[in-house]
Amino acid sequence: MSILASLQSQSKRGAQPLLGHLRGLLTVLWRKAINLGVLPTLTVWQLKRVHLLNGICWIILGIYAGYVLVFSASPDWLTFRICLGGLLLHLPPLVLNYYHRYDASAYYNILSVTLLCSAIAVARRHDGVEYFLITNSIVGMLFFRTFWKLALLFLLNLGAYFGVRYAMQTLNLHLYVPDGAYFYNVNVVLFFLTLFLVVYYFRTENFRQELLLTHQNETLAQSLQHLQATQAQLVQQEKLASLGALTAGIAHEIQNPLNFVNNFSEVGLELVEELREALTHETLSEDDRAAIGQVLQDLTQSQQKVHEHALRAGNIVQAMLQHSRASTGQRQLTNLNALCDEYLHLAYHGLRAKDPTFNATLTTDYALQLGEVQVVPQDIGRVLLNLFNNAFYAVQQKAALLPAGTYRPTLAVSTRRVGGEVLVQVRDNGTGISPSVLDQIFHPFFTTKPPGEGTGLGLSLSYDIVTKGHGGRLTVQSEPGEYSEFTVHLPGA
């Protein structure tokens, strides 16, 4: 039994490749057959019409060829000659298609079928062939678009049908054979089958066009959304550019009074010291000297605080000027640790300005021996700001979903050198990213945020800055509901 099963299994395995080769050969032959005379310049409609006409002709030729073989030795000589005539009559459309006479081929096919069916119906009388004239009146709709052509061919076949029905009642050619009922039933079945196929073709084509239009409408709707998002982004960029210019102007104006404050605070400290020295030469009681000394001490501390906060305000003004300055695109040696720390606190305090109730734990692990890196500071700053903002958004969303006191938002930033690369990792314990969208987050206009909260351009622009602008990589790892970790890979040389 095992030997027999083995032989059967081997025979099946041997038959499968043979069937596969045969199927492939038939597919190639059919494609060549329906592409007879096809030009590369044809429109979709013309190409479909040529394919359909070639297919109809080849199928009819196959049917008539089978009839010729069946009736070649039959005493029904009339059927044999009719099938042979049908075989010869359906060769010219293929020849016309081969020479690119597509309209002539379509006209010939419809008119030859009209003539052949009419002659056979009159000669054989109750043979059922006349019903094919009804189908032939519809076939013209497959080949032509002009209304007058469709109407003319429809009326021609309709007139031929009633003419044949009349001739069958008045003419008696005595060509009826005993097995005419058999042919009648076969032809009626073929007529309904042909009618079904024609109607099914129209139905399928309508569905295909409907799906195509639906897809095009969806594509246009997405394009419109993208254009609207782009327009909103451009407007926002214009606003930011105007705000940057305004910020630069204000910062320049503030810088002058700040310089005066700094200078006068320093002068005030010098005057206090001079006054203290002058008082040493004055004769005063101990109580008065103590009281005046206390006042001078308070005045000194006050002037020092003024000077300290003026310097801090000056640093803020310098940062505003630096931030409002457009990127030059020129790389320069940059302390990446300081850049990360600056934008981390900028993003955090910016979010807290909008939501004072928000708190998060910031963890930094900067490599002390990282050294300076050749980057465009403004561009990498934008990348870091995008990553930090997205991380804070993720932990903020997760905090809103969980009960108070059960979740501690955390953002960790680290830098290190690995081989010839400098890595900046931004990790949060927020909502995470679904695996189904992980491969799309760097695509333009793709966003997981609700409408109005994101344009889908932040990560896309960050990806372009890192990859195209700096020759690096931007990767992401995430576990839904657990964490997200973005890693910026920059050339370390």
Side-chain angles (χ1 to χ4, degrees), residues 5 102 173 190 221 314:
Y102 306 123
L173 300 179
L190 290 176

Side-chain angles (χ1 to χ4, degrees), residues 56-372:
I56 291 174
C57 290
W58 284 115
I59 291 174
I60 293 177
L61 284 174
I63 293 174
Y64 276 122
Y67 279 153
V68 168
L69 291 176
V70 170
F71 291 102
S72 59
S74 173
D76 188 2
W77 58 271
L78 180 60
T79 302
F80 170 76
R81 284 165 176 75
I82 290 174
C83 293
L84 184 62
L87 183 67
L88 297 176
L89 279 173
H90 282 83
L91 286 174
L94 296 175
V95 177
L96 291 170
N97 273 345
Y98 179 78
Y99 288 103
H100 316 309
R101 302 295 300 276
Y102 306 123
D103 283 348
S105 176
Y107 280 124
Y108 179 90
N109 184 76
I110 295 176
L111 295 176
S112 65
V113 171
T114 302
L115 179 62
L116 183 64
C117 289
S118 300
I120 294 174
V122 173
R124 298 295 296 262
R125 193 172 291 181
H126 303 289
D127 210 9
V129 181
E130 68 274 11
Y131 292 108
F132 284 96
L133 294 170
I134 300 174
T135 304
N136 203 45
S137 65
I138 304 175
V139 171
M141 298 180 186
L142 302 176
F143 300 145
F144 301 103
R145 288 182 171 182
T146 309
F147 174 77
W148 70 266
K149 293 181 181 179
L150 298 178
L152 181 63
L153 294 173
F154 180 83
L155 292 175
L156 177 65
N157 281 274
L158 187 65
Y161 174 79
F162 286 106
V164 166
R165 299 289 292 181
Y166 176 78
M168 288 168 58
Q169 303 296 327
T170 57
L171 297 178
N172 188 8
L173 300 179
H174 303 290
L175 297 179
Y176 180 74
V177 292
D179 55 354
Y182 167 75
F183 286 107
Y184 179 83
N185 293 332
V186 171
N187 285 329
V188 169
V189 171
L190 290 176
F191 156 71
F192 280 109
L193 179 61
T194 305
L195 189 61
F196 169 80
L197 291 176
V198 171
V199 174
Y200 181 77
Y201 172 83
F202 279 111
R203 181 176 178 274
T204 305
E205 184 64 17
N206 286 339
F207 282 154
R208 193 188 71 82
Q209 292 293 338
E210 182 180 353
L211 289 175
L212 181 61
L213 288 174
T214 302
H215 177 70
Q216 289 177 346
N217 288 337
E218 292 176 352
T219 304
L220 289 174
Q222 291 177 357
S223 299
L224 180 60
Q225 290 179 352
H226 291 172
L227 287 174
Q228 290 174 343
T230 304
Q231 183 182 17
Q233 184 70 14
L234 290 174
V235 171
Q236 186 67 17
Q237 288 180 352
E238 185 64 26
K239 289 181 179 178
L240 290 175
S242 302
L243 182 60
L246 179 62
T247 302
I250 295 173
H252 279 292
E253 290 299 323
I254 294 176
Q255 189 69 45
N256 292 328
L258 279 177
N259 290 334
F260 282 106
V261 172
N262 278 322
N263 295 335
F264 281 120
S265 63
E266 293 176 356
V267 170
L269 288 173
E270 293 175 358
L271 291 175
V272 169
E273 290 301 321
E274 291 178 1
L275 182 58
R276 186 176 282 118
E277 290 178 3
L279 287 174
T280 58
H281 303 291
E282 298 291 333
T283 303
L284 297 172
S285 65
E286 290 299 325
D287 292 339
D288 291 340
R289 189 176 297 277
I292 293 174
Q294 184 63 41
V295 172
L296 291 177
Q297 182 65 28
D298 292 342
L299 185 58
T300 300
Q301 292 179 355
S302 176
Q303 291 297 315
Q304 287 175 345
K305 285 296 182 181
V306 170
H307 184 64
E308 178 185 344
H309 288 287
L311 288 177
R312 184 169 178 268
N315 292 333
I316 294 173
V317 169
Q318 290 298 326
M320 291 171 61
L321 288 171
Q322 182 71 17
H323 187 69
S324 65
R325 194 173 297 127
S327 172
T328 60
Q330 298 294 325
R331 299 189 188 184
Q332 60 190 52
L333 289 173
T334 304
N335 186 336
L336 207 56
N337 290 339
L339 194 68
C340 291
D341 200 62
E342 175 188 351
Y343 279 95
L344 174 61
H345 289 89
L346 179 64
Y348 182 58
H349 291 299
L351 181 59
R352 279 184 53 81
K354 297 179 182 177
D355 183 10
T357 62
F358 175 76
N359 288 290
T361 301
L362 305 182
T363 305
T364 57
D365 182 16
Y366 301 136
L368 298 179
Q369 305 299 324
L370 188 67
E372 294 186 329

